Amino acid sequence: MKHLFTGFIAAAALATGVQAQQNIVVGHALSPASHYGVGAQAFIDTLNELSDGAFTGEQAPAGQLGGERDMIEGLQIGSLDLVVTSTGPLGNFVPEVFALDLPFLFRDYDHARTVLDGEIGQELLDKIGENNLVGLAWSENGFRHVTNSQRPVRTPEDLAGLKLRTMENRVHMTAFSGMGASPTPMAFPELFTAMQQGVVDGQENPVTVITAAKFWEVQDYVSLTGHVYSPAVVLASPILFDSLSDEEKGWFMEAAKASAAATRAEVNRLEEAGVALLIENGMEVITDIDKAPFAALAEASYSVYTDQYGTEMVDRIKAVE
Ligand code: PAF
């Protein structure tokens, strides 16, 4: 409805020779200063510049518009224009994307970024496009690590019985059951209070998020498990995107690329500086972790994807240098 109305205003403006301005709302789960906030702002600034001011933008940060699942639904019904989101809930809409959520699949940041910027990344953006969403560009959340309030986690045995919040993602939940924890899926906006009130003992997220959300206020231990790479993606509402001219679509795609680049640069910076910040704020950071036993136990989660799609995509991802 909103886009029908703005379309009408744009047509009227064209008829009178006055340039109409369209304001784009970019939703995300974190603070404006976070890696997502930096990326959202880069999108807004780039789009504004490319369109010579025809498009303006504003952030709806910190889950103001709900959790990531709610925001994705908002794109589908056109109540929201754009979202920077992790792939956490995306597999519920586009199951092929579960391939990217498999634990211990990506070797490092270079591997993940090469896959997402290449043929495989484009194929998955196209799949997103077949599911009433528009995938503009792969962005980044980072490698996820376990935090908790109970004890240092060094081995899978240390996870036993820990109530651990996971994203609403079947691959992650199966992986954590396999590794011995009790996974509790929950939307991110509920997480801080859940940890504060002891509803869950811990959670898992990249250093980028642990620092942005100041989890040191409710968590004592961080284990650098790096158990899964967490991609993010810049998604647009198909209702908005289909209302754009080809030239405007090009601006949106370019702005999404600028957003991803800015977010990745911030991830790089926080991967360097973030751990010191966690220590400074009183967290015990556990680095001497043998990942092999975690990986062996998490392997069962691959079947969430491979039972439906086979192993081809997994093999292709592993083969990317
Ligand atoms: O844990 C999550 O839900 C995600 O990593 C977050 C923090 C919303 C960022 O995408």
Side-chain angles (χ1 to χ4, degrees):
M1 190 61 193
K2 186 180 109 194
H3 299 300
L4 273 182
F5 180 69
T6 45
F8 174 75
I9 299 280
L14 214 63
T16 56
V18 180
Q19 178 77 31
Q21 251 189 2
Q22 193 168 342
N23 192 49
I24 300 299
V25 177
V26 185
H28 63 91
L30 299 168
S31 68
S34 68
H35 58 306
Y36 283 5
V38 167
Q41 200 52 48
F43 180 91
I44 291 166
D45 294 344
T46 309
L47 182 65
N48 185 262
E49 201 179 305
L50 290 172
S51 68
D52 217 4
F55 287 95
T56 55
E58 66 188 287
Q59 296 188 38
Q64 266 171 26
L65 301 175
E68 290 186 327
R69 190 182 181 130
D70 303 319
M71 289 192 279
I72 294 173
E73 280 167 1
L75 296 177
Q76 291 189 318
I77 60 171
S79 62
L80 182 57
D81 299 317
L82 215 104
V83 173
V84 179
T85 176
S86 74
T87 51
L90 191 56
N92 299 309
F93 300 83
V94 190
E96 288 87 347
V97 170
F98 278 136
L100 301 177
D101 297 322
L102 299 171
F104 300 102
L105 173 63
F106 292 104
R107 296 184 294 274
D108 51 29
Y109 279 103
D110 277 349
H111 181 209
R113 292 172 184 178
T114 307
V115 168
L116 292 173
D117 293 346
E119 206 175 77
I120 293 174
Q122 190 53 53
E123 276 172 38
L124 291 172
L125 288 178
D126 293 345
K127 279 281 166 228
I128 292 172
E130 291 167 18
N131 287 275
N132 197 25
L133 290 165
V134 181
L136 292 176
W138 290 109
S139 183
E140 188 160 79
N141 196 15
F143 276 92
R144 301 177 81 89
H145 308 293
V146 172
T147 74
N148 84 97
S149 57
Q150 301 297 313
R151 53 181 173 263
V153 169
R154 289 193 174 81
T155 66
E157 288 73 42
D158 298 325
L159 282 177
L162 275 189
K163 261 209 215 150
L164 205 80
R165 177 268 176 177
T166 66
M167 297 196 284
E168 298 159 280
N169 181 300
R170 279 190 286 129
V171 173
H172 289 190
M173 288 162 64
T174 313
F176 275 102
S177 297
M179 290 189 276
S182 301
T184 309
M186 188 182 288
F188 188 73
E190 294 161 35
L191 176 57
F192 193 93
T193 311
M195 292 193 291
Q196 200 167 39
Q197 297 179 345
V199 175
V200 292
D201 302 308
Q203 62 88 49
E204 46 83 57
N205 250 306
V207 172
T208 49
V209 175
I210 303 169
T211 52
K214 298 190 167 65
F215 280 165
W216 50 72
E217 291 176 7
V218 287
Q219 298 278 271
D220 297 321
Y221 306 100
V222 187
S223 301
L224 298 183
T225 45
H227 51 275
V228 69
Y229 174 76
S230 182
V233 60
V234 184
L235 297 175
S237 165
I239 297 168
L240 164 69
F241 202 69
D242 291 348
S243 74
L244 301 174
S245 69
D246 285 349
E247 186 183 31
E248 290 168 338
K249 285 179 181 162
W251 296 338
F252 272 65
M253 288 196 281
E254 209 160 309
K257 281 194 189 125
S259 169
T263 295
R264 285 178 181 178
E266 193 57 11
V267 172
N268 289 346
R269 189 185 72 74
L270 282 163
E271 283 288 330
E272 292 270 309
V275 171
L277 204 61
L278 301 177
I279 295 170
E280 226 170 82
N281 283 280
M283 292 188 98
E284 184 179 332
V285 181
I286 295 102
T287 54
D288 55 333
I289 291 172
D290 177 9
K291 294 186 184 176
F294 287 97
L297 292 168
E299 182 106 26
S301 65
Y302 276 52
S303 67
V304 172
Y305 176 81
T306 55
D307 280 358
Q308 201 170 350
Y309 298 108
T311 56
E312 193 208 338
M313 178 60 94
V314 177
D315 294 339
R316 281 175 67 202
I317 291 175
K318 283 185 180 165
V320 171
E321 291 298 328

